[in-house]
Amino acid sequence: MKRLTFIAVAFLAIFAGQSLFAQGSKYGHGADSAECIKYLSYYTEYYKQKNYESALPNWRKAYAVCPATASQNMFIHGTTLMTNLYKKTKDAAAREAIVDTILTLQDQRMATYPKKKVDILNNKGQYMINYRGSDAAYIYKNLSPIVDELGAKANGSLMVNLLQSAITLYRENQLSTDEVIAMYEKVSANLEGATAKNDTEAEENAKVKATIESIFADSKVASCENLIAIFGPRFEADPNNQTLVTKIVKLMSSAEDCANNDLYLKAVTSMYKSEPSARSAYFLYRLNAARDNVADAGRYLEEAISYPDADDATKAQYYYELALFAYKNSMKSKANEAARKAVELDCGYAGKSYMILGNLWASATCESVENKWARYWAATDYYQKARNADPSLADEAASSIASVSRYYPEAAEAFMYDLSAGQSYTVSCSGMSASTTVRVNR
């Protein structure tokens, strides 16, 4: 049977040689051309049958006598044949030689068929990972130029393994912190520039990005101490360099416990001045609030509210946070104003804002005896509104009502001031006013 197959293949080779001989240059010239066609036909027929052992020697002869332009499949099939041979080979030196051949095939295919460059480079990088992935120094040295050339077209696997190799070399004291961070920035920039052709690719890119972020964070290379040491002097030397500023903010945002330092605050402030937005202003509010920079924090939050890119839901959140921030920092007039605006917008923040208004009234400074009682009546009104607007606040509102109701006057006391339970009353204290209802303890 094997002999019959060989005869059939030989016949096909002779036939192909007669019909294609005139093409000459593609397959070589003269006798070489005939030999090229013959062995291409021999190995191809065996290859189609997945008889790789018989295909291999004929492929070797075709590879030796054929010009590179004879067939792109000669490189593609050769890679498959070498991969199969690698699996069956036990000798370490022989296996290394096979890997070298696989990589050389990629280089020769790319030189002859440059339109396939992206696919070939990605394949070559993956072969490096498959066969030599445990050698971090090799991967770092040889995968780096491939990823540099591919840029955003590099496969995710290449970028993940390249960064991992850099981290491994860092742990072995062969790379500096600066070099690993530079590698992280490179692969991250590639991912940011990648364009997904469909939802599946977009999902895969997101997974790769998450993996990159995870292994970089776990490496502890970008510790806050390291980042400040590296980027502090750079920022001081060029504080208006927005590329540098963006880099600092991104890295320090990813590092653990790295928001409460001067460099981070300065960098975010510089970014905000260059490209102001509601989100960046809000971020500056959070940073300044954490550092007890009360005046700056409040100013940035009010700026965040004023930007047109903040929708009603965002403004409601910001107004609520401004009310809470102002209340905690004894700015009662500001807290009252912000809480009322949050109530107007609602968007899920009315209940919480009513609680703040209740607290403002409960702590208000009032002069007359009647108003001292009335502040607690007004507080009760707002706690009840909070409970009605947001049932999840029912327990908190009930507890607050119980606290202020202890200060209601006795019926006899109220009577002395011509007040009775259920009567309407208007109270004005601490720059606030409200219409409420007289309440007494019986």
Side-chain angles (χ1 to χ4, degrees):
M1 181 66 184
K2 197 170 185 180
R3 178 173 173 76
L4 289 174
T5 301
F6 179 79
I7 291 171
V9 171
F11 176 78
L12 287 170
I14 293 168
F15 179 79
Q18 290 173 343
S19 62
L20 298 174
F21 190 80
Q23 296 182 21
S25 61
K26 179 178 180 180
Y27 299 100
H29 299 277
D32 286 345
S33 174
E35 287 290 289
C36 171
I37 294 168
K38 179 175 70 174
Y39 286 114
L40 280 176
S41 299
Y42 284 171
Y43 102 73
T44 299
E45 287 304 314
Y46 286 125
Y47 186 90
K48 288 177 181 177
Q49 300 166 28
K50 295 190 177 180
N51 184 354
Y52 295 151
E53 288 186 12
S54 297
L56 183 57
N58 289 286
W59 173 83
R60 288 185 190 276
K61 290 179 180 177
Y63 183 73
V65 299
C66 290
T69 55
S71 171
Q72 185 171 188
N73 280 338
M74 186 166 60
F75 301 104
I76 299 171
H77 294 166
T79 300
T80 301
L81 293 173
M82 285 295 144
T83 300
N84 183 67
L85 181 62
Y86 180 90
K87 294 175 182 177
K88 296 182 177 182
T89 302
K90 303 300 180 184
D91 181 74
R95 286 165 71 93
E96 282 300 300
I98 292 169
V99 173
D100 286 338
T101 300
I102 290 172
L103 298 178
T104 298
L105 286 172
Q106 312 317 306
D107 291 337
Q108 292 182 341
R109 181 188 171 201
M110 184 166 55
T112 311
Y113 304 96
K115 290 183 179 179
K116 295 290 185 179
K117 183 177 182 178
V118 170
D119 290 340
I120 297 169
L121 278 176
N122 273 309
N123 289 341
K124 182 180 180 182
Q126 192 59 54
Y127 290 131
M128 289 178 177
I129 294 165
N130 292 347
Y131 298 116
R132 292 173 176 164
S134 61
D135 187 341
Y138 175 88
I139 292 296
Y140 183 81
K141 178 182 177 181
N142 293 281
L143 205 55
S144 290
I146 290 178
V147 171
D148 284 344
E149 192 159 354
L150 287 170
K153 295 180 180 179
N155 286 346
S157 174
L158 272 59
M159 292 186 282
V160 169
N161 279 272
L162 181 55
L163 178 60
Q164 188 62 68
S165 71
I167 291 170
T168 299
L169 293 176
Y170 167 79
R171 289 170 176 162
E172 295 173 355
N173 296 318
Q174 295 184 51
L175 284 184
S176 68
T177 301
D178 225 350
E179 288 172 309
V180 180
I181 290 175
M183 181 59 72
Y184 166 74
E185 292 170 349
K186 178 194 297 182
V187 297
S188 294
N190 285 346
L191 284 170
E192 291 296 330
T195 302
K197 296 176 183 176
N198 49 53
D199 291 344
T200 301
E201 281 193 9
E203 185 177 339
E204 184 59 32
N205 287 346
K207 288 180 180 178
V208 172
K209 186 175 182 180
T211 300
I212 291 289
E213 298 292 346
S214 177
I215 63 175
F216 185 65
D218 291 345
S219 72
K220 306 299 182 184
V221 174
S223 68
C224 202
E225 183 180 359
N226 283 346
L227 293 174
I228 292 172
I230 292 169
F231 291 105
R234 295 187 195 177
F235 179 83
E236 294 303 324
D238 195 4
N240 297 316
N241 183 333
Q242 288 306 304
T243 300
L244 173 64
V245 166
T246 301
K247 185 183 298 184
I248 292 170
V249 172
K250 181 179 180 181
L251 288 169
M252 298 189 87
S253 296
S254 301
E256 186 176 349
D257 297 327
C258 202
N260 193 20
N261 62 79
D262 289 339
L263 175 59
Y264 189 52
L265 181 59
K266 289 177 181 178
V268 175
T269 303
S270 177
M271 179 184 288
Y272 172 68
K273 289 178 179 177
S274 175
E275 297 182 18
S277 67
R279 184 174 178 80
S280 58
Y282 174 75
F283 194 35
L284 276 171
Y285 148 68
R286 295 288 298 270
L287 283 177
N288 281 280
R291 294 166 68 83
D292 293 325
N293 297 335
V294 175
D296 287 337
R299 174 171 58 83
Y300 281 121
L301 188 49
E302 290 190 78
E303 286 184 19
I305 293 169
S306 70
Y307 282 107
D309 59 319
D311 57 20
D312 283 351
T314 301
K315 286 183 178 179
Q317 175 196 340
Y318 290 176
Y319 271 126
Y320 163 70
E321 292 196 36
L322 178 58
L324 188 61
F325 177 76
Y327 173 70
K328 289 180 177 178
N329 287 281
S330 302
M331 296 182 288
K332 294 187 175 182
S333 177
K334 178 66 68 179
N336 178 58
E337 178 186 0
R340 289 184 178 282
K341 288 182 178 178
V343 167
E344 288 175 14
L345 290 168
D346 192 355
C347 298
Y349 289 92
K352 294 177 181 179
S353 299
Y354 278 134
M355 286 298 299
I356 293 174
L357 289 168
N359 293 337
L360 285 168
W361 274 107
S363 60
T365 301
C366 302
E367 297 298 327
S368 69
V369 172
E370 305 98 303
N371 280 351
K372 287 180 181 179
W373 293 331
R375 61 184 172 178
Y376 299 119
W377 303 336
T380 300
D381 290 337
Y382 283 114
Y383 292 142
Q384 289 176 338
K385 289 180 179 180
R387 178 183 59 199
N388 294 336
D390 186 349
S392 70
L393 297 172
D395 290 344
E396 183 182 353
S399 177
S400 296
I401 290 171
S403 295
V404 298
S405 64
R406 293 179 297 165
Y407 302 104
Y408 296 168
E410 297 296 326
E413 289 181 284
F415 181 76
M416 293 175 63
Y417 287 87
D418 197 25
L419 298 172
S420 59
Q423 180 181 337
S424 295
Y425 187 88
T426 300
V427 57
S428 296
C429 299
S430 299
M432 302 182 294
S433 63
S435 294
T436 185
T437 301
V438 174
R439 293 173 174 88
V440 298
N441 285 322
R442 298 182 183 277

